[in-house]
Amino acid sequence: MDADLISFETLIATRDSAYWVMWGAIATSIAAISSIITLYFAFAALNTWKVQEKTKIKSELKRSLFALDYAIHMMPDDWNAAKAAMIQMNESSFLVTQGSDKTSAAYSELKKRWHNALTAWVMCEGLLFETELTGLWNELSNIYIEYIQGRTSKVEILQKLSEMHKVKFIFD
């Protein structure tokens, strides 16, 4: 073989190698761009998921407030400090007195609904701290404590719940 022929064949092989390297670089660039686009859509999906979860948590709070409202409606209209003390004493001693089964069940249901509402409020983790709902929640908490002790009326706690139902906070 002649040195010129060897040089020529080496030049052709180098050119073919460069051609395939160019296509490899183009494929790598496309893969890198695709990865960046995928990363963008992954972040967008993550942010959408976060918004959906926040909406679910807020919806759960609103639902629990409606359930609490219903539990308050189920409480006796003549709820007072004497009945509250009797129910609390019966619960602590595990006694059931005649005629208080419905009242005791309603009181137990009220406590469950309050716990659910409180849990939903805590789960919001500050999502609603900058809304008027925070002040209403604090007022509701105080009224609830007074209500279960029989020191305030059913109407007062229902009015506070009505105010809270009117606040639009789920899709804000």
Side-chain angles (χ1 to χ4, degrees), residues 138-157:
N138 292 334
E139 292 171 15
L140 178 68
S141 296
N142 293 332
I143 293 170
Y144 172 77
I145 290 168
E146 290 179 8
Y147 181 74
I148 62 168
Q149 294 172 353
R151 296 185 306 177
T152 190
S153 70
K154 187 181 199 179
V155 172
E156 188 175 345
I157 195 166

Side-chain angles (χ1 to χ4, degrees), residues 56-69 113 116-117 120 165 169-170:
K56 277 188 203 176
I57 290 170
K58 289 177 183 179
S59 297
E60 178 60 25
L61 175 62
K62 192 124 191 179
R63 188 208 56 74
S64 69
L65 289 174
F66 279 114
L68 180 63
D69 188 288
R113 298 300 172 204
N116 290 345
H165 295 322
F169 61 88
I170 295 177

